Amino acid sequence: MKKLFTDASGRIRRTTWWKGFLVIVVASLVAAVVLSPVLLALGIVGRLLMFALSLVFLYGMLMLGSKRLHDRNKDAMPRLAFFYGPSVFSQLLQALGIGWQVMEVAGREVMVPGLFGGIVLWVSMGFGIWALIEQGFLSGDVGSNRFGEDPKAPLPSG
């Protein structure tokens, strides 16, 4: 399982991608729920620490995405830059407070996008939907390709 999030080589099936994706989503949500109240209280330093933590989760997504794109016989770059770059930009703007502001909602401080932050957020969501379709729903190549053996291929008997 560790290699799934640390190595970009080879190919993986959609089901493996979905399992890895869900692990990262759940882990990042738990981290956000536990850490965001503490880190938001630290102001910009806390927001930058949250951004740094998001880069750890991004690394795992890049490894998953690389293998999934390889299964579709596509080079991971520049697609992964298009898929995840706008989201990273949006999170960096949020961390720096550019186009975002802190508001109190139900007794908690939360970051809320202004017009510019909202536009960047919507663009990043569009690329995220494209990434989700390409990696999570479209099937891979049948048989071997330049990135390796078909992960769906039956194991040789014997």
Side-chain angles (χ1 to χ4, degrees):
M1 184 73 138
K2 179 183 171 188
K3 189 175 177 181
L4 185 63
F5 302 110
T6 59
D7 183 13
S9 63
R11 298 169 62 179
I12 58 172
R13 301 172 60 163
R14 282 178 287 186
T15 54
T16 305
W17 183 86
W18 276 107
K19 289 174 188 175
F21 175 78
L22 290 174
V23 165
I24 290 173
V25 167
V26 168
S28 65
L29 287 174
V30 168
V33 167
V34 170
L35 296 176
S36 65
V38 174
L39 293 178
L40 280 178
L42 298 175
I44 190 165
V45 172
R47 292 193 311 265
L48 287 172
L49 288 171
M50 284 176 56
F51 175 71
L53 180 61
S54 75
L55 294 178
V56 172
F57 293 114
L58 172 67
Y59 182 79
M61 286 303 300
L62 292 174
M63 298 303 103
L64 285 173
S66 293
K67 288 187 271 275
R68 191 63 201 113
L69 290 168
H70 290 167
D71 190 43
R72 303 196 62 246
N73 202 25
K74 296 184 179 200
D75 289 317
M77 289 297 171
R79 282 179 182 79
L80 291 176
F82 283 117
F83 291 164
Y84 298 108
S87 177
V88 171
F89 182 61
S90 177
Q91 289 179 6
L92 181 59
L93 291 176
Q94 180 181 357
L96 296 174
I98 300 170
W100 293 75
Q101 59 190 14
V102 177
M103 293 186 75
E104 189 172 323
V105 177
R108 283 187 66 187
E109 287 188 346
V110 295
M111 295 296 290
V112 178
L115 178 62
F116 177 67
I119 291 170
V120 173
L121 184 61
W122 279 101
V123 168
S124 71
M125 286 192 302
F127 280 102
I129 290 168
W130 174 21
L132 187 67
I133 291 168
E134 183 132 356
Q135 296 173 71
F137 293 103
L138 299 179
S139 62
D141 283 358
V142 175
S144 298
N145 69 20
R146 63 190 167 128
F147 296 104
E149 296 297 317
D150 186 349
K152 283 187 173 181
L155 296 173
S157 59

